[in-house]
Amino acid sequence: MRSFLKDTDFSPSEAAEVFSLAYRLKKQRNAGILNVLRGGSWGLLFFKKSTRTRLSFEVGVHELGGHPVMMNANDLQISRGETVEDTAKIMGRFLHGIIIRTFKQEDVEDFAKYSGLPVINALTDLLHPCQTYTDMFTICEHFGKGSFDCDILKGKRIAFFGDTACNMAYSLSLSAAMFGAEVVLCGPGEFRPSKELDALFKSAKLKPTWSFTDDPSAAAKGSDVLYTDVWVSMGKEDEKEERLKRMAPYQVNEKLFKLAKKDSIFMHCLPAHAGEEVSPEVLGSPRSIVFDEAENRLHVQKAIMATLAEMNR
């Protein structure tokens, strides 16, 4: 049973096919070109709050002909001590696939192990592969200027600013490496990537294309994409004051954009806190493609679900 728990669960060629399908689905969204989930019920299990992830998956399952079953973890017995194993086995008796947004990476892996269903990682504290696949797709779409070709990613330089030991930094590094793009992770030294990132590349037998620097100017210079994420993620609220203080020099602003390429763009997985990780001027500028990026979650995730459904027939 194939699942999508890490960026590298699809090979580069399979991921390229996912992107091509997403491009077709976006162009023909109202044409009903795929009905691959017809008659199936897919569970959406959320341990964390969500806007874009919930909307895109719930709408996506419906548009592929399936029935989305939304489940807040706090409403289930798992919140009262039922094990992941037992919960997964029960879901395996009722559902045809599971989409999970949770804390521990081990939980999505256990759901895949015990449910016998295709499972999609809709975010864990370690990885956010649906978002970074969408990011790669959106970069191709933007720089392709009307055509779509994954080769556009080769040699692209993506600078990520802020907490570089977070799920976004890790998944961005993995997804970019699959297509020959370079990622420069930039933030305070104490927030640099841990050995977890090296282990992810090693287990995937993927050559790293990322580097780390604590110098924002060096990271921005010559970059095609300036990317950031919130400085205070869910579960880190007690560290807010210290994080805001340490991250302040890494705000994406016009000063950094002057060092990037002339046609460079700004990306953010949202929600954004204007005035913190990004200046209001950059967030609202023509260079910002954050809403294209957000919309594309729907199309890419539909392609991921459709691909898994076909693989697991």
Side-chain angles (χ1 to χ4, degrees):
M1 183 65 63
R2 293 286 297 270
S3 288
F4 185 61
L5 310 180
K6 303 186 296 293
D7 308 67
T8 50
D9 281 346
F10 289 136
S11 68
S13 61
E14 289 171 338
E17 290 177 5
V18 167
F19 293 172
S20 294
L21 176 57
Y23 185 71
R24 186 162 62 98
L25 289 170
K26 182 174 182 177
K27 290 291 185 182
Q28 304 177 54
R29 179 180 176 186
N30 298 318
I33 61 173
L34 275 183
N35 210 18
V36 293
L37 302 188
R38 183 178 181 181
S41 296
W42 279 60
L44 282 72
L45 177 57
F46 282 61
F47 290 80
K48 290 187 174 186
K49 295 182 184 299
S50 173
T51 299
R52 281 149 295 278
T53 300
R54 175 173 177 175
L55 279 169
S56 55
F57 269 116
E58 196 163 356
V59 171
V61 170
H62 170 74
E63 291 189 357
L64 290 176
H67 173 60
V69 181
M70 183 63 203
M71 297 174 286
N72 186 315
N74 290 331
D75 296 331
L76 305 182
Q77 293 296 342
I78 197 170
S79 68
R80 300 180 63 247
E82 186 168 33
T83 65
V84 168
E85 179 177 349
D86 287 357
T87 303
K89 287 178 177 178
I90 290 298
M91 289 186 179
R93 302 294 180 104
F94 292 105
L95 301 170
H96 298 86
I98 309 174
I99 296 150
I100 307 176
R101 182 178 176 92
T102 188
F103 295 90
K104 295 190 294 184
Q105 181 72 18
E106 292 84 353
D107 285 349
V108 295
E109 292 170 357
D110 283 344
F111 267 97
K113 178 180 178 181
Y114 294 114
S115 70
L117 300 174
V119 173
I120 295 175
N121 177 359
L123 177 141
T124 65
D125 288 346
L126 181 66
L127 295 171
H128 198 356
C130 291
Q131 177 65 58
T132 54
Y133 265 44
T134 298
D135 296 334
M136 296 301 109
F137 174 87
T138 306
I139 292 169
C140 289
E141 181 183 55
H142 175 82
F143 286 105
K145 301 184 186 304
S147 62
F148 191 87
D149 187 347
C150 289
D151 285 342
I152 289 169
L153 290 166
K154 290 180 180 178
K156 284 286 184 284
R157 178 181 168 96
I158 305 166
F160 180 91
F161 298 89
D163 181 357
T164 64
C166 72
N167 51 11
M168 275 304 308
Y170 286 8
S171 270
L172 198 63
S173 298
L174 288 167
S175 289
M178 291 172 66
F179 292 97
E182 172 192 4
V183 172
V184 182
L185 302 175
C186 181
E190 62 267 37
F191 292 98
R192 70 181 299 150
S194 71
K195 292 181 179 179
E196 282 181 314
L197 183 55
D198 293 326
L200 287 166
F201 273 92
K202 185 176 180 180
S203 66
K205 298 180 181 179
L206 182 64
K207 182 179 179 181
T209 59
W210 68 272
S211 60
F212 173 83
T213 180
D214 61 2
D215 182 347
S217 296
K221 188 175 181 180
S223 290
D224 300 281
V225 180
L226 301 191
Y227 201 122
T228 191
D229 190 7
V230 294
W231 290 340
V232 185
S233 299
M234 286 180 281
K236 303 288 186 180
E237 289 82 3
D238 58 336
E239 305 172 17
K240 181 175 181 178
E241 186 176 343
E242 182 61 24
R243 278 177 168 263
L244 293 182
K245 180 180 177 182
R246 290 294 295 121
M247 300 288 181
Y250 299 92
Q251 182 190 78
V252 177
N253 50 38
E254 287 294 339
K255 180 181 177 181
L256 281 186
F257 260 110
K258 289 180 180 178
L259 301 170
K261 289 183 178 177
K262 290 183 178 180
D263 62 347
S264 59
I265 54 176
F266 172 71
M267 300 181 75
H268 192 306
C269 55
L270 301 181
H273 296 156
E276 292 181 10
E277 72 273 8
V278 58
S279 69
E281 294 77 18
V282 166
L283 184 62
S285 75
R287 281 178 152 175
S288 173
I289 61 167
V290 297
F291 293 107
D292 292 337
E293 188 181 358
E295 179 198 338
N296 284 338
R297 288 287 299 278
L298 170 65
H299 312 301
V300 173
Q301 288 164 187
K302 283 172 66 177
I304 290 170
M305 289 187 286
T307 299
L308 287 176
E310 291 293 343
M311 285 178 166
N312 291 314
R313 287 194 186 281

